[in-house]
Amino acid sequence: MPTLEPARIARLREAFLDADYTADGCLELLGAAAYAALARSESVPALRATTGVGALQTLVRLFLLQRAVSYPAAAAALPVEEALADGWLVRTPESDVRATVDIRPYANDIAGEQAAAEAWIVSDLGCAVGGAGGIGSGAATDQGVPRGELVLGVGGASTTLANIAVRRPVRRALDLGTGSGIQALHAARHAGRVVATDVNPRALHFTRLSAELSGLGDRVEVREGSLFEPLQEGEVFDLIVSNPPFVISPGERFTYRDGGMAGDDLCRSLVTQAGAHLEPGGYCQLLANWQHVRGEDWRDRVASWLAGTGCDAWIVQRDVQDVTTYAELWLRDGGDHLGPREAYEQRYADWLDAFEAAKVEGVGFGWITIRRLPEGAQGAKPVVVAEEWPHAVEQPLGPVTEQWFARQDFLRAQDDAGLLAARYQLADEVVQEQVGAPGAEDPEHVILRQNRGMRRATKVDTVGAGFVGVSDGTLSAGDILDAIAQLLDEDPVVLRDRAPEQIRLLVEQGFLLPL
């Protein structure tokens, strides 16, 4: 691994900036199609785009494409002797040089963070995207690194977590299971101090390299240990983010993905313990897998993890896979399909045996956001919502997450009379769709659809559609219902009695915003 030499890393960063070895610079050089192909571990289009001479082409071939380059070309692009001495580069038998790690420019531009500065993520060769399968099926890499200790770079899961995380300015943040430091770099843009933890010492070293290379080394502290063990007694945070080793697997083969606990116990442990390490009003956000156990509703099962924590929670299942598809996904991730067929089939059978013994019929993928109740809500009944939402959403979702919990605070404080006394405003970019037979006088039903955030859709009756249509914050809900009753020649008392349930749903789902 490269050594941590802050002054020399600063000179390496300057060389990257001078060459425009940044996310935007690489996109301009390679073009959108070749740049996107890199995320699929396909390098041929990028190789074709970097046949020219220049510092940027050299750095792309070295650190993104893991190709050897001539010593003179490397010397023209970066402080090559320092990079060789510190272990970023090694010489080849042909007297060329090649990289020992993947260094990937990273667009750190999530809404709510400080003005985006350039960032770079350092990870093991072949592991920038797609897991350990990218480096074959042997026990160790060509560099002698045990495959179980590999450190991954930017992938779909890390990008998802970065996009759903709340990005308000905070005093202290925790990146639990930091890996190569992606979430820590994001948090360092809006947190005064970031603690990054991991059980893998190599991961902590890579996090420090990523932070130093991105100019954030003085804001990120690393600690070794599992889950919350590295924390001091009573230590709390405003934000905890975690892309933990959530894979439900028989055995502990890869530190980056296998938590070493039975079933989904690692995710359950993280959820049950998080509240004790949050400031009032603080958030914990994590990606998770959970078991679908025969005879149990997954919503009740996962929601039960929050019992007694005193925290609100929003649990969103984005996908669910049957056990065979799930096992095949992670066997390929680990490169097992590239090894002997007999060994692959035995490992496959081990997965299915473990699922059968636990009565697991499927595995859910999603995210969990936990919030410790704010100061003013201490003692109130927590709100825990578990839902399935496999549809497209608008990223980033951090602001949407904060708004969801703010609406829960409002609803928790209102009885029916309070809901009717409040004023509401229709959320931005909500459209109405009417469904019915062609030529029919009235629609069979009306659909409200959001074009922002979670992009939800919900069915309402004609009264609900009329109510939403005139909700501009001018009149209270009760006054609007009285006007609708008069227009429809209905009893206003009856409308007032049945409306709160629908108002509560429309507020919870973000169609109506309380003022």
Side-chain angles (χ1 to χ4, degrees):
M1 288 188 293
T3 57
L4 191 70
E5 294 287 346
R8 294 186 178 187
I9 290 176
R11 287 192 284 274
L12 184 61
R13 178 171 67 251
E14 288 303 314
F16 287 173
L17 291 171
D18 288 344
D20 201 17
Y21 185 58
T22 63
D24 288 343
C26 290
L27 177 60
E28 183 175 352
L29 171 68
L30 302 178
Y35 198 61
L38 288 176
R40 304 190 299 270
S41 299
E42 296 291 349
S43 60
V44 172
L47 285 168
R48 294 167 64 90
T50 56
T51 56
V53 177
L56 180 55
Q57 286 91 332
T58 296
L59 294 174
V60 169
R61 292 180 74 86
L62 265 176
F63 294 115
L64 282 188
L65 305 180
Q66 284 93 57
R67 294 303 196 272
V69 303
S70 70
Y71 181 95
L78 76 168
V80 66
E81 284 301 322
E82 290 184 353
L84 285 165
D86 293 340
W88 299 95
L89 303 175
V90 293
R91 290 185 181 273
T92 70
E94 295 78 18
S95 298
D96 293 333
V97 298
R98 62 176 178 83
T100 63
V101 291
D102 184 292
I103 304 177
R104 192 157 298 243
Y106 185 59
N108 199 13
D109 56 358
I110 302 298
E113 296 181 357
Q114 296 177 1
E118 303 301 340
W120 293 268
I121 302 297
V122 186
S123 65
D124 276 313
L125 291 176
C127 291
V129 177
I135 52 86
S137 59
T141 68
D142 293 340
Q143 294 77 37
V145 179
R147 294 177 77 245
E149 298 177 14
L150 289 169
V151 179
L152 271 60
V154 181
S158 54
T159 301
T160 295
L161 180 58
N163 274 291
I164 69 171
V166 171
R167 295 300 174 191
R168 59 179 179 173
V170 296
R171 188 174 62 91
R172 303 186 76 239
L174 169 65
D175 177 13
L176 191 154
T178 186
S180 54
I182 300 161
Q183 308 306 325
L185 294 193
H186 278 289
R189 301 292 184 198
H190 64 96
R193 189 71 178 167
V194 179
V195 174
T197 68
D198 207 291
V199 297
N200 184 358
R202 296 187 75 252
L204 297 177
H205 188 73
F206 274 100
T207 292
R208 294 186 68 191
L209 292 173
S210 295
E212 286 290 346
L213 195 55
S214 302
L216 295 166
D218 60 340
R219 303 181 73 173
V220 178
E221 173 192 355
V222 301
R223 301 182 193 173
E224 183 179 348
S226 175
L227 295 179
F228 297 103
E229 291 175 359
L231 305 187
Q232 300 169 8
E233 185 176 354
E235 193 172 11
V236 291
F237 299 86
D238 304 288
L239 175 67
I240 299 172
V241 289
S242 183
N243 180 13
F246 52 67
V247 177
I248 301 171
S249 59
E252 186 177 1
R253 298 178 60 212
F254 300 102
T255 304
Y256 72 84
R257 73 172 205 193
D258 302 320
M261 296 186 185
D264 50 21
D265 279 356
L266 184 133
C267 291
R268 180 187 57 78
S269 296
L270 204 162
V271 168
T272 58
Q273 297 176 43
H277 302 283
L278 289 172
E279 293 275 11
Y283 289 87
C284 173
Q285 298 180 271
L286 67 142
L287 304 183
N289 282 183
W290 43 78
Q291 298 176 145
H292 284 221
V293 178
R294 190 179 308 122
E296 298 182 26
D297 188 312
W298 75 266
R299 297 169 184 82
D300 295 337
R301 185 171 181 277
V302 179
S304 71
W305 297 351
L306 279 299
T309 64
C311 294
D312 294 329
W314 184 19
I315 304 158
V316 180
Q317 180 169 279
R318 297 287 289 157
D319 190 18
V320 61
Q321 290 185 343
D322 64 74
V323 294
T324 58
T325 304
Y326 186 83
E328 291 163 13
L329 168 67
W330 295 111
L331 287 166
R332 290 192 182 93
D333 172 89
D336 293 291
H337 62 302
L338 302 175
R341 185 67 186 178
E342 183 177 347
Y344 171 81
E345 291 179 350
Q346 182 57 57
R347 287 196 174 124
Y348 197 154
D350 291 343
W351 284 68
L352 297 185
D353 288 344
F355 284 134
E356 184 176 346
K359 300 180 180 179
V360 175
E361 297 180 327
V363 177
F365 296 69
W367 64 70
I368 301 174
T369 300
I370 302 162
R371 186 191 63 165
R372 185 176 173 187
L373 292 178
E375 290 284 7
Q378 297 297 316
K381 182 179 179 181
V383 174
V384 178
V385 174
E387 63 173 325
E388 187 165 8
W389 192 253
H391 311 293
V393 299
E394 180 191 36
Q395 297 285 13
L397 276 177
V400 174
T401 299
E402 281 197 279
Q403 293 161 10
W404 188 92
F405 283 92
R407 295 195 303 272
Q408 300 308 315
D409 289 338
F410 169 80
L411 292 172
R412 179 164 39 210
Q414 309 300 323
D415 57 13
D416 287 356
L419 287 176
L420 295 177
R423 293 177 296 117
Y424 304 90
Q425 182 173 330
L426 181 65
D428 292 338
E429 296 192 39
V430 173
V431 298
Q432 175 179 307
E433 301 172 359
Q434 297 187 169
V435 180
E441 184 175 346
D442 296 312
E444 294 177 11
H445 55 264
V446 176
I447 300 294
L448 300 179
R449 190 178 301 278
Q450 300 168 345
N451 287 322
R452 305 296 303 273
M454 292 291 285
R455 293 176 173 161
R456 296 185 186 276
T458 192
K459 185 189 299 186
V460 294
D461 58 20
T462 54
V463 172
F467 179 89
V468 168
V470 297
S471 291
D472 59 4
T474 303
L475 300 174
S476 71
D479 290 340
I480 292 175
L481 289 169
D482 290 344
I484 292 175
Q486 184 175 6
L487 182 66
L488 298 179
D489 195 23
E490 292 196 23
D491 186 342
V493 175
V494 173
L495 283 190
R496 281 176 171 259
D497 284 344
R498 78 183 196 210
E501 181 179 357
Q502 190 164 201
I503 293 173
R504 194 173 291 275
L505 176 65
L506 292 172
V507 170
E508 179 181 323
Q509 295 189 346
F511 290 94
L512 290 176
L513 308 179
L515 300 178

